């Protein structure tokens, strides 16, 4: 089966954090994904540890090194190099729970042929599995956009997102001289 998801992790001198990401990704109950690490000019041992993991061959890992240009350019590079229908955002200091990809796959099957849905958004929890409750949101409710999510449902929290690559290609970060653009821009 071809992977449906590319999990993209921009990273700059975060080798130690990437080790936590890796440990969680290799425990996924569904390994139908590619982990794409965009190294934004790291000077630590990121390249070496990624090469080691690639030789272990537990999960498919692609690695791209770019001159330090900021997270938004690393995200854009991830979108350009994503080879699957879905693009998952995973910061270097975050991780997926063991069934995350399995759950994302379930929702991917539900939305893949629906052109009016661009992404699946889930709440993030802390390391103990606790997350902020949002009583206005019903379980498995589909919401139109982030503005509605915030205004109507009072949802202001970290999220875990997978999005259709073709939608992201139309909403990439602009190329400007500044190395920082808030994530909310996209």
């Amino acid at each position: 089966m071809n992977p449906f998801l590319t999990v993209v992790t921009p990273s700059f001198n975060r080798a130690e954090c990437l080790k936590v990401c890796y440990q969680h990704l290799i425990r996924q109950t569904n390994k139908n994904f590619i982990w794409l690490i965009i190294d934004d000019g790291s000077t630590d041992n990121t390249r070496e540890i990624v090469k080691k993991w690639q030789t272990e061959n537990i999960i498919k890992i692609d690695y791209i090194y770019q001159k330090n240009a900021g997270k938004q350019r690393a995200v854009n590079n991830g979108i350009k190099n994503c080879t699957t229908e879905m693009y998952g955002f995973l910061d270097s200091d975050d991780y997926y729970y063991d069934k995350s990809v399995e759950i994302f796959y379930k929702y991917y099957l539900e939305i893949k042929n629906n052109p009016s849905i661009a992404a699946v958004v889930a709440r993030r929890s802390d390391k103990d599995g606790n997350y902020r409750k949002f009583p206005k949101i019903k379980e498995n409710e589909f919401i139109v956009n982030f503005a509605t999510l915030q205004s109507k449902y009072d949802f202001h929290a970290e999220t875990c997102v997978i999005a259709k690559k073709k939608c992201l290609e139309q909403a990439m970060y602009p190329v400007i001289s500044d190395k920082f653009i808030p994530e909310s821009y996209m």
Side-chain angles (χ1 to χ4, degrees), residues 10-19 42 44 46 49 92-93:
S11 181
F12 174 71
N13 288 338
R14 303 296 292 258
E16 291 305 310
C17 292
L18 289 173
K19 291 176 182 178
S42 295
D44 64 3
T46 296
I49 65 165
S92 59
D93 60 347

Side-chain angles (χ1 to χ4, degrees), residues 15-45:
E16 291 305 310
C17 292
L18 289 173
K19 291 176 182 178
V20 176
C21 287
Y22 179 69
Q23 289 305 312
H24 284 267
L25 288 173
I26 65 173
R27 291 197 317 249
Q28 291 301 303
T29 55
N30 180 331
K31 292 186 173 55
N32 190 16
F33 66 93
I34 299 166
W35 188 22
L36 173 56
I37 299 165
I38 306 292
D39 185 341
D40 189 32
S42 295
T43 57
D44 64 3
N45 64 333

Side-chain angles (χ1 to χ4, degrees), residues 1-7 28 30-34 82-88 96 99-109 111-112 120 162-165:
M1 180 185 310
N2 290 330
F4 78 101
L5 173 66
T6 300
V7 177
Q28 291 301 303
N30 180 331
K31 292 186 173 55
N32 190 16
F33 66 93
I34 299 166
C82 176
T83 58
T84 59
E85 288 183 61
M86 301 300 290
Y87 179 108
Y96 286 171
K99 290 188 176 191
S100 294
V101 174
E102 180 180 327
I103 293 166
F104 279 141
Y105 185 69
K106 173 187 168 223
Y107 286 105
Y108 157 74
L109 293 175
I111 72 162
K112 74 180 201 168
V120 175
I162 66 165
K164 292 178 180 174
K165 177 192 173 187

